[in-house]
Amino acid sequence: MLLFLVLCPITAAIAIIAGAPARLTALVAAISNLFVTLALLSRFDRVTAGFQFASSFLVSADWQIHFAFGIDGLSLLMLLLATIVTVAAVWFTGKIDNHERAFYACLLFISGGAIGAFASIDLFFFYAFHELALIPTFLLIGIWGTGDRSVAAWKITIYLTLGSFVLLIGLILLYQSLPATTRTFDIRELQAATAAHAIAAPTQRHIYLLLLIGFGVLISLFPFHSWAPEAYASAPAPAAMLHAGVLKKFGLYGLLRLAIPMLPDGAHYWMYLLVILLLGNIIYIGLVTIAQKRLDWMLGYSSVMHMGYIFLGIASANILGTTGAAALIFAHGLSIALLFAVAGQIRNRTGTLLFDDLGGLAKVMPFAGLAFGFAAFAAIGLPGFANFASEILIFFGAIRNGWEMQRFHIFQIATVLALWGIVISTVYMLRAYRSTFMGTMNERWGKIVDLGAGLRIPVALLITGLIWFGFFPQTLVRMVTPTFRTYFTATK
């Protein structure tokens, strides 16, 4: 089933390029992958730690590179996020005027690359699948984007290429730092070797810093964030949904999968730096978000801001905070995908996303207003949505950090400031909702139609995920906790 998950979107993309019906083929592939993921979820053992459904095919005997896949609770959560958002993104795409086949193929290549990275248990393919997903991202922005799309496409290309290069150096050093007899690309064996203290503390510091910078650029960690808002504002809505909702989470997944469990001494050494940078995401970027005058730019900056909360959970170095970080990865992916989807529909109907040009759209687009309101309330962290449960775990995990500090410490300060970040996010989200859907409506928008019955299906899918895990967060927590229990001592 894992092999099907990885190859299905890639095969469908090739079939579309070869002449298969673009929209139908993409929808069938996306929905099939979602059902396969749900089947994996139903058969997944939530008690047992370690990778399940593992399969491996030898690619290079000399380098011991395997086309290997397996899932634990963390990777299964990422696969569920990727398949849900893929269905929504393909469904929202609709008819493309220029090069429709290439557009749908690019979406499927992004999905296939993300799924392959999340399911891979071989370090080589973990990196390679992510790089496969980056190429169509550049194409979608540069060819089908809006505004100053060429600048945005080149900017994201330069930033993410440099970030991937730094990450590659860090992964090579991680491989080389092990004794020659234990060197392997198998993530399971890497974790076992590093757990036996095979990497010295000074070496861990250098490798962790490289991984933090490499993954940080891909995630838009402050101050490497400036590519993200412009790219998302210029990208077609389905591309923004997939990148902000899924592909950007690769860096967070990489930190949880590699950096934290394999390089604990390096993580401890650089924790103060990480806390300072993540506060830049939460406070500085939050204030910048308030100043935005366009809905697409506001959503782009808000996505960057919320990465700070996930970094706070990762930096806490305990099972409570990292579980919250994993949960917020999922919750944020659904909420930001829905926000970009609705924003894209507004742009298609009005031709603008300037707050000064909008207003009163709830009168003619009531369902779109309802959907945007649900996503905005989720992003704010309103109780009843998955984001709230995730952030609570992060805040308690940060207060009870895993470094066994005494008295008043930096994590408590960071948690207090992060709580103010919730106030900031409330201000810009409610302001955006009021400016877009409330107030006096421009006469030009009187004949605009609401989201059709077909588009209400992916909206319902995204909202259902947010509410289900908001009311029943234990279903998510029980899935990922065994993964982190092998890293940390459980905090009760």
Side-chain angles (χ1 to χ4, degrees):
M1 287 192 290
L2 285 177
L3 191 62
F4 177 87
L5 274 178
V6 175
L7 296 182
C8 179
I10 296 175
T11 304
I14 296 173
I16 290 172
I17 294 173
R23 179 170 173 77
L24 178 61
T25 305
L27 271 177
V28 169
I31 295 173
S32 299
N33 261 15
L34 177 57
F35 278 110
V36 171
T37 304
L38 294 176
L40 286 170
L41 183 62
S42 66
R43 297 175 57 185
F44 184 76
D45 185 353
R46 292 173 172 80
V47 178
T48 305
F51 290 93
Q52 303 175 35
F53 309 105
S55 60
S56 180
F57 308 92
L58 182 64
V59 175
S60 172
D62 294 334
W63 289 89
Q64 284 299 302
I65 297 175
H66 292 78
F67 198 57
F69 302 102
I71 56 170
D72 59 4
L74 176 60
S75 50
L76 179 57
L77 182 69
M78 302 302 297
L79 291 177
L80 184 61
L81 170 64
T83 51
I84 290 175
V85 175
T86 299
V87 171
V90 171
W91 209 307
F92 266 100
T93 299
K95 182 174 177 56
I96 303 298
D97 295 329
N98 300 315
H99 311 295
E100 184 178 54
R101 294 184 186 280
F103 189 98
Y104 277 100
C106 285
L107 290 182
L108 291 176
F109 276 125
I110 294 176
S111 177
I115 290 172
F118 296 146
S120 291
I121 52 177
D122 184 275
L123 199 61
F124 177 85
F125 285 103
F126 167 82
Y127 180 85
F129 272 112
H130 176 258
E131 298 308 297
L132 169 66
L134 288 183
I135 298 171
T137 303
F138 310 146
L139 297 176
L140 284 168
I141 297 175
I143 299 174
W144 294 279
T146 58
D148 203 349
R149 61 190 184 189
S150 297
V151 173
W154 278 110
K155 192 171 187 177
I156 189 175
T157 301
I158 293 171
Y159 264 89
L160 298 191
T161 300
L162 290 175
S164 295
F165 182 70
V166 174
L167 173 61
L168 179 61
I169 295 174
L171 294 178
I172 292 173
L173 289 180
L174 176 63
Y175 173 84
Q176 292 287 345
S177 63
L178 294 172
T181 55
T182 60
R183 286 176 186 167
T184 177
F185 287 100
D186 192 307
I187 292 177
R188 296 166 296 182
E189 296 179 15
L190 279 171
Q191 290 179 346
T194 53
H197 307 288
I199 303 178
T203 305
Q204 286 192 34
R205 298 170 189 172
H206 302 311
I207 299 174
Y208 181 85
L209 182 60
L210 288 171
L211 295 184
L212 179 62
I213 294 174
F215 284 129
V217 173
L218 302 179
I219 303 165
S220 64
L221 174 65
F222 178 87
F224 312 111
H225 65 279
S226 61
W227 62 267
E230 187 172 1
Y232 297 150
S234 301
M241 292 170 67
L242 273 174
H243 196 281
V246 179
L247 191 58
K248 189 162 75 168
K249 307 304 189 291
F250 167 81
L252 298 165
Y253 173 77
L255 289 174
L256 290 170
R257 174 65 69 206
L258 302 176
I260 300 301
M262 297 185 188
L263 306 166
D265 292 327
H268 187 195
Y269 185 82
W270 294 109
M271 67 174 179
Y272 291 104
L273 172 64
L274 180 56
V275 170
I276 293 171
L277 296 182
L278 68 86
L279 287 177
N281 277 77
I282 295 174
I283 302 301
Y284 174 75
I285 302 301
L287 295 174
V288 172
T289 308
I290 292 178
Q292 299 307 305
K293 301 182 184 300
R294 291 178 55 93
L295 180 59
D296 48 359
W297 280 84
M298 189 280 294
L299 293 178
Y301 274 107
S302 73
S303 176
V304 175
M305 179 209 177
H306 281 88
M307 295 302 99
Y309 293 109
I310 303 174
F311 275 115
L312 181 60
I314 293 173
S316 67
N318 59 30
I319 193 171
L320 199 60
T322 49
T323 300
L328 189 55
I329 288 173
F330 180 82
H332 177 267
L334 296 184
S335 59
I336 197 64
L338 182 53
L339 288 168
F340 274 121
V342 176
Q345 292 300 309
I346 294 173
R347 178 162 52 191
N348 291 342
R349 287 162 170 75
T350 64
T352 180
L353 288 176
L354 279 168
F355 288 134
D356 291 341
D357 293 339
L358 301 174
L361 291 183
K363 297 176 183 178
V364 291
M365 301 180 69
F367 185 82
L370 178 66
F372 191 93
F374 271 116
F377 293 149
I380 291 169
L382 195 72
F385 292 97
N387 307 62
F388 170 78
S390 308
E391 290 172 2
I392 288 293
L393 289 172
I394 289 173
F395 293 145
F396 279 101
I399 289 290
R400 297 187 63 181
N401 69 88
W403 303 119
E404 299 181 357
M405 295 179 175
Q406 302 297 322
R407 294 175 294 179
F408 196 71
H409 52 73
I410 188 171
F411 280 94
Q412 294 177 344
I413 299 172
T415 304
V416 172
L417 292 174
L419 288 169
W420 278 104
I422 293 180
V423 177
I424 294 174
S425 63
T426 303
V427 170
Y428 64 67
M429 275 297 176
L430 293 183
R431 169 179 170 267
Y433 187 81
R434 182 198 63 189
S435 300
T436 305
F437 293 99
M438 300 290 105
T440 303
M441 185 181 68
N442 192 312
E443 293 181 358
R444 290 182 294 170
W445 318 138
K447 296 183 179 180
I448 289 178
V449 296
D450 200 2
L451 301 184
L455 292 181
R456 300 186 183 194
I457 297 175
V459 169
L461 178 64
L462 295 170
I463 293 177
T464 299
L466 289 170
I467 293 178
W468 176 267
F469 289 108
F471 278 91
F472 306 103
Q474 68 272 21
T475 57
L476 187 152
V477 170
R478 289 171 183 168
M479 186 193 309
V480 299
T481 297
T483 300
F484 298 120
R485 189 173 288 123
T486 60
Y487 302 163
F488 312 110
T489 300
T491 302
K492 299 183 180 179

